[in-house]
């Protein structure tokens, strides 16, 4: 393709991806009144009655302080849910655009990376949602007796989204360490030697990135991250052992970075191609 052809294809695929996001947003906007809104409010509504705002009939509720607040909150939730619902479609558009320029092994690594990263993000978001009620109970309980807690819909939705994103993104960091090891940038020896610093920095990172700033949520994020980092270290150990065996078989083990590798002087076989003599003679008329 020419440069104009690539730009035209990129424009078409971005347009198709946005169309799928729009369809997903419309579906989520309808779904809001059929379970999605209750799913978002469930961690807050599961709190004891003295820690949440109760309406006249005893049900929990969130406050809206402006005229367009309810509509904007519903649109915001529908847009985020639409991105999640349409993720297979727009991810396929991205993959279809970049896959012609990849080799076979690069395609395999790309599919594995996307699958594992999606699983880790979903795992982190699910853990954040499960721990949301406990974190809210701890934070709102610090207000003490005689204080009525009434959360606005804007503050609560923003808090939930930031917590889900924080857990989901943080669970991707061990995968980045594995990718750096696969490309030869980060070795197992460096990771093993820095294990204590990795755990310490993980705890510090969890303390800063969690929006709740309470020790329960911080430890709930730091614990699984430390386990994932330890798993990444063990994966790097296996990868480095296989790389060392492969280099030893090729005679490349122990070479310095500025030392030339031995060359294989044996001629490589040529692809069999039909010669001009093998082609059938064509008669001229």
């Amino acid at each position: 393709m020419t440069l104009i052809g690539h730009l035209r294809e990129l424009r078409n695929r971005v347009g198709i991806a946005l169309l799928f996001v729009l369809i997903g947003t419309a579906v989520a906007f309808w779904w809001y009144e059929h379970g999605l809104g209750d799913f978002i409010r469930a961690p807050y509504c599961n709190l004891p009655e003295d820690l949440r705002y109760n309406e006249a009939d005893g049900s929990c509720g969130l406050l809206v302080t402006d005229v367009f607040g309810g509509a904007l909150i519903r649109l915001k939730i529908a847009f985020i849910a639409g991105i999640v619902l349409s993720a297979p479609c727009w991810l396929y558009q991205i993959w279809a655009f970049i896959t012609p320029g990849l080799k076979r092994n690069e395609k395999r690594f790309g599919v594995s990376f996307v699958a594992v990263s999606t699983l880790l993000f979903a795992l982190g978001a699910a853990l954040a949602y499960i721990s949301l009620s406990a974190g809210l109970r701890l934070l709102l309980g610090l207000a003490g007796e005689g204080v009525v807690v009434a959360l606005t819909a804007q503050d609560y939705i923003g808090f939930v989204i930031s917590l889900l994103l924080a857990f989901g993104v943080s669970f991707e960091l061990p995968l980045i360490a594995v990718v750096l090891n696969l490309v030869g940038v980060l070795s197992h020896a460096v990771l093993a030697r820095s294990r204590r610093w990795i755990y310490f920095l993980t705890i510090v990172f969890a303390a800063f990135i969690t929006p709740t700033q309470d020790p329960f949520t911080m430890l709930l994020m730091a614990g699984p991250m430390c386990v994932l980092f330890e798993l990444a270290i063990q994966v790097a150990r296996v990868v480095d052992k296989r790389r060392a065996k492969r280099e030893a078989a090729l005679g490349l083990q122990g070479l310095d970075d500025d030392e030339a590798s031995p060359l294989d002087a044996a001629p490589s076989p040529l692809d069999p191609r039909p010669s001009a003599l093998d082609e059938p003679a064509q008669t001229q008329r």
Side-chain angles (χ1 to χ4, degrees):
M1 277 189 186
T2 62
L3 178 60
I4 300 300
H6 282 294
L7 293 178
R8 187 180 295 110
E9 182 187 5
L10 178 62
R11 179 199 62 187
N12 295 336
R13 294 199 178 277
V14 169
I16 295 174
L18 292 178
L19 179 62
F20 281 117
V21 172
L22 181 61
I23 295 175
T25 302
V27 173
F29 190 86
W30 170 83
W31 185 26
Y32 184 85
E33 291 293 339
H34 298 80
L36 181 58
D38 296 335
F39 177 79
I40 297 295
R41 293 189 299 266
Y44 176 71
C45 293
N46 291 334
L47 296 175
E49 294 185 359
D50 57 338
L51 294 180
R52 57 180 171 84
Y53 173 75
N54 299 310
E55 298 181 357
D57 56 355
S59 60
C60 69
L62 297 172
L63 300 179
V64 176
T65 58
D66 57 273
V67 177
F68 298 99
L72 293 178
I73 287 297
R74 183 168 180 174
L75 285 174
K76 184 177 181 179
I77 295 177
F79 178 70
I80 296 175
I83 293 176
V84 176
L85 292 175
S86 62
C89 300
W90 57 261
L91 283 175
Y92 170 77
Q93 296 300 321
I94 297 176
W95 180 251
F97 178 74
I98 65 175
T99 188
L102 299 178
K103 298 179 182 179
R104 182 177 300 177
N105 60 336
E106 293 173 341
K107 294 179 182 179
R108 184 173 67 252
F109 287 138
V111 172
S112 302
F113 177 79
V114 172
V116 175
S117 61
T118 303
L119 179 62
L120 289 176
F121 187 90
L123 179 63
L127 183 61
Y129 184 83
I130 293 173
S131 63
L132 192 56
S133 293
L136 287 174
R137 185 180 295 107
L138 177 62
L139 292 176
L140 298 180
L142 295 176
E145 298 180 358
V147 177
V148 178
V149 180
L151 298 180
T152 63
Q154 294 88 338
D155 293 338
Y156 175 74
I157 297 301
F159 170 76
V160 172
I161 294 174
S162 60
L163 188 65
L164 296 180
L165 290 178
F167 269 75
V169 172
S170 64
F171 275 43
E172 304 285 345
L173 297 180
L175 180 61
I176 296 177
V178 174
V179 172
L180 292 177
N181 175 258
L182 289 174
V183 299
V185 176
L186 193 61
S187 64
H188 168 260
V190 175
L191 289 173
R193 187 168 58 248
S194 307
R195 181 182 277 110
R196 295 182 180 179
W197 279 105
I198 290 175
Y199 293 160
F200 173 74
L201 293 177
T202 298
I203 296 175
V204 174
F205 172 80
F208 276 98
I209 199 173
T210 49
T212 58
Q213 303 298 327
D214 64 282
F216 173 78
T217 307
M218 181 196 70
L219 294 177
L220 193 63
M221 175 186 289
M225 283 185 65
C226 290
V227 174
L228 291 175
F229 268 117
E230 182 62 32
L231 181 61
I233 293 174
Q234 299 305 319
V235 171
R237 180 177 63 85
V238 175
V239 171
D240 283 359
K241 282 186 175 181
R242 292 182 177 179
R243 184 181 292 120
K245 290 181 179 180
R246 184 169 59 252
E247 291 179 353
L250 298 175
L252 305 177
Q253 192 173 15
L255 294 178
D256 295 333
D257 294 337
D258 55 352
E259 185 177 355
S261 59
L263 297 177
D264 186 7
S268 59
L270 299 177
D271 295 335
R273 294 181 179 178
S275 61
L277 297 178
D278 297 333
E279 296 180 355
Q282 297 180 358
T283 59
Q284 297 181 357
R285 296 184 180 178

